[in-house]
């Protein structure tokens, strides 16, 4: 039962284009950094982006609300759907 739901979650929706258009370059960068494996610490993300850790926390909170997600796993599913990160479940070379 979980298989079809997971596949459905990876398919783009009509809302995805609008959602993608609302994301700033900084938000897209944050998503790509957060979805990396191994998962980076907030301090690493803040340093890479040139921001304070608290600022990253605030941006993260606003982004989660904007995308209507609650966890990093939810964020990853949305990021794959939006084409911001490759799906780790797919076989073959990464783009």
């Amino acid at each position: 039962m979980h298989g079809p739901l997971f596949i459905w979650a990876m398919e783009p929706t009509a809302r995805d284009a609008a959602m993608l258009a609302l994301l700033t370059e900084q938000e897209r960068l944050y998503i790509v950094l957060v979805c990396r494996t191994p998962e980076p610490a907030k301090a690493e993300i803040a340093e890479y982006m040139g921001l304070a850790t608290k600022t990253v926390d605030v941006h993260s909170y606003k982004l989660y609300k904007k995308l209507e997600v609650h966890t990093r796993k939810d964020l990853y599913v949305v990021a794959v759907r939006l084409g911001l990160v490759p799906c780790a479940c797919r076989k073959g070379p990464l783009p």
Side-chain angles (χ1 to χ4, degrees), residues 36-57:
R36 294 182 63 170
T37 302
E39 187 178 296
K42 283 184 203 174
E44 292 175 295
I45 294 171
E47 183 179 339
Y48 186 87
M49 294 180 75
L51 302 170
T53 305
K54 185 66 177 167
T55 305
V56 170
D57 285 340

Side-chain angles (χ1 to χ4, degrees), residues 60-78:
S60 172
Y61 174 79
K62 289 179 180 179
L63 179 62
Y64 276 49
K65 286 190 71 79
K66 183 187 275 190
L67 296 178
E68 299 175 4
V69 298
H70 302 286
T71 66
R72 282 189 180 194
K73 186 186 290 186
D74 295 340
L75 180 63
Y76 176 76
V77 170
V78 170

Side-chain angles (χ1 to χ4, degrees), residues 13-23 28 66-67 82:
T13 65
R15 239 176 99 196
D16 290 339
M19 208 183 282
L20 190 58
L22 291 175
L23 295 176
R28 291 175 192 219
K66 183 187 275 190
L67 296 178
L82 295 177

